Structures are given as C-alpha cells and as structure tokens.
Amino acid sequence: MNINIHKNRLEQSIIKLQSFIDKKDMSQITSHILLEATKDRKIILEATDYEIYLKVVIEDIDVIENGKATFQGKKFLEIIKRLKNENINIKLSNSKVNITQNRNNFKLSSFNPNEFPKKEFNYSNNQIHIDTQTLFNSLKKISPSIAINNPKYELNGALIDISTDSIKFVSTDTRRLAIVTQTNSENNDAINIIIPKKAILEISKIFTGDIVIYYSENDLIIKSEEYIFSTKLLNGDFPEYQRIIPTNTRY
C-alpha cells in the first residue's frame, strides 16, 4: 500500500474515527484504524470498538499501490497534527506504516489487516424513513435525560417508538422523562428500538446531510455518501412511559 494525500483531507476523517477506537488497550487491533487503498483512487478508513463502527470513504486519491494496513489511531493523529498543510505519503513496508512529508519521517507498527473485525451489512427492507434534521433535533432534545451507567441497561439509551401514526423519541433516567413526538408521515413499520447514548452523541457529530437508516434485530445502520455508521442496539424492555403521563397531557 502506498498513497499520497493532503494532510487536511486525512486529518478531519482521522479525528472523527477517534471515538470509535479502543483507547484502553493499545495492544488490541481495535485500537487501530484500518486503511484500504483501492484501484479506483479511493481510500477506505474503518474503526470499531465492537459496540460502534464507522467507515469513511475519501475519493480522488493518488493511489500509487493499492492494499491494506492498520495503524494505531491515537498515535497516528498525534503525528498528523505535527505536519504541515501539505501532501503526505503513507506507505506500508515490512509491517511498518511510514508517514513521510519532506524531511519528516515517522513509523508505526501495523497489525495483520485481515484480523481487523469486519462488518457485513445486509441492506434489507428494514428501513426507517425520518427527515435528517428531524432526527437530529429530536435526539438532541431528549439526550440530557438519558441515564449514565444505570444498572437497568436499557435506560442508558433512547427509545425510538414507531406506531402507525407517530414516531416518539423517549429517554428517562428515572428522575426525568423526555418525549418528542413526530408524525409518521412515511408509513414506517411499527417498531421499538433502543439506541445507546454513546451512539446518539456520535451521530450528531458525523452526519450533516441526507442519510438512509436501516435496522436489524441487533444493529442500527446509518449511511450517507461519505460515511457508514453502525451501532449495536440495547436489548431490554424500556419503561412503559405512557402509563405515567396523565391521559389529558398533550406531547
């Protein structure tokens, strides 16, 4: 693998991927970012801590030699920040990733890229149709009421409760309850899914434009032209929030 890329184009993606790497155990491959250079002048960057996952695609890259490599995400960002806003060369040689810019030369160890945990996505008909801005605004409003490290695991996330006529975003830490109601104008199927708080915070940082949302029994997937994000869903029974709200309350 051998590529040339401008520092600024790479740095912004590496910053986004930091939240998806394992920073506790640097000996694990999940502390690394996977970089794949393709023949069609793209690079694909992936990071995961097994709970959340992010894939970034950057197009129109000077790919000298295609291939794959991994590098420790935290150390790589430290190196990139020290470099000038110019092109850099990234090359895999003898299980080392060489980062070169003018007279600056850094080396990082690379693990076997085939051992990186791969995500297989099945884009089935399980799709949620929600306006992007509506989704972001609703999640932002209920985020403060999501519990943190609650023994009732399902409270550490937000419920998306879709019925035939409405979409409700719900969170509670047992002291506070937040509900945002939107109209189910796209005839989404009736479902209940619980999204972890960590995933909700990352969604708002990553996406700005149009997105497509898919779900399965265990995962939520959000896709745009540049990113693919996934998170494991929380299992459990969310509290019956409607029972504690007086029937004449409008929300």
Side-chain angles (χ1 to χ4, degrees):
M1 186 210 67
N2 189 353
I3 65 168
N4 291 318
I5 184 172
H6 196 276
K7 176 210 169 176
N8 287 349
R9 295 193 70 191
L10 184 60
E11 184 177 16
Q12 295 307 310
S13 296
I14 296 297
I15 289 173
K16 284 185 169 66
L17 289 161
Q18 292 300 302
S19 298
F20 294 80
I21 61 176
D22 182 358
K23 298 183 180 70
K24 295 179 181 178
D25 189 350
M26 298 301 180
S27 67
Q28 297 297 315
I29 197 165
T30 48
S31 70
H32 282 223
I33 291 171
L34 176 68
L35 188 157
E36 179 179 2
T38 66
K39 294 179 180 179
D40 53 351
R41 295 174 53 82
K42 294 180 184 177
I43 62 168
I44 300 167
L45 299 160
E46 299 178 64
T48 181
D49 62 1
Y50 291 115
E51 296 297 323
I52 56 175
Y53 163 93
L54 183 64
K55 177 179 181 179
V56 183
V57 178
I58 307 177
E59 298 184 337
D60 194 23
I61 301 298
D62 179 15
V63 177
I64 301 167
E65 182 181 357
N66 62 293
K68 298 180 182 179
T70 76
F71 46 80
Q72 200 172 88
K74 184 178 179 181
K75 288 186 177 180
F76 189 82
L77 180 59
E78 291 172 356
I79 292 170
I80 292 297
K81 285 184 173 180
R82 295 169 60 181
L83 300 177
K84 296 180 180 179
N85 294 328
E86 299 174 2
N87 277 352
I88 58 177
N89 177 261
I90 303 173
K91 181 179 180 180
L92 177 66
S93 178
N94 298 322
S95 298
K96 296 285 185 180
V97 174
N98 298 281
I99 305 107
T100 306
Q101 184 186 72
N102 302 324
R103 295 182 179 181
N104 296 310
N105 190 358
F106 303 89
K107 292 185 179 182
L108 290 176
S109 296
S110 179
F111 290 170
N112 182 352
N114 295 323
E115 295 179 358
F116 191 87
K118 296 294 291 181
K119 292 287 291 186
E120 299 293 336
F121 296 108
N122 179 19
Y123 300 116
S124 62
N125 293 326
N126 295 331
Q127 189 172 339
I128 301 174
H129 301 274
I130 304 177
D131 173 73
T132 304
Q133 206 56 49
T134 297
L135 173 67
F136 293 164
N137 290 340
S138 300
L139 291 176
K140 182 178 179 180
K141 289 177 181 177
I142 66 170
S143 290
S145 298
I146 300 176
I148 300 174
N149 297 325
N150 194 294
K152 294 183 178 179
Y153 199 55
E154 60 272 14
L155 297 184
N156 299 311
L159 173 71
I160 298 182
D161 182 6
I162 302 180
S163 62
T164 54
D165 59 352
S166 69
I167 302 175
K168 292 185 175 68
F169 301 83
V170 189
S171 69
T172 181
D173 58 6
T174 70
R175 295 179 294 107
R176 300 172 295 177
L177 174 66
I179 304 174
V180 175
T181 302
Q182 306 290 349
T183 303
N184 185 5
S185 58
E186 298 291 337
N187 296 318
N188 290 288
D189 294 335
I191 57 165
N192 290 290
I193 58 175
I194 306 174
I195 306 174
K197 184 170 186 174
K198 180 179 180 180
I200 290 171
L201 296 176
E202 294 306 321
I203 289 169
S204 63
K205 295 177 187 176
I206 297 167
F207 297 100
T208 55
D210 293 335
I211 59 174
V212 183
I213 307 171
Y214 302 89
Y215 69 94
S216 65
E217 183 179 354
N218 299 311
D219 298 285
L220 181 79
I221 303 161
I222 302 179
K223 185 178 180 182
S224 68
E225 288 187 4
E226 188 176 358
Y227 304 107
I228 297 178
F229 165 92
S230 78
T231 177
K232 289 187 178 299
L233 297 173
L234 297 181
N235 295 320
D237 296 321
F238 200 84
E240 296 184 31
Y241 62 93
Q242 294 174 328
R243 294 180 59 183
I244 64 174
I245 303 174
T247 56
N248 61 348
T249 301
R250 298 183 65 184
Y251 58 90

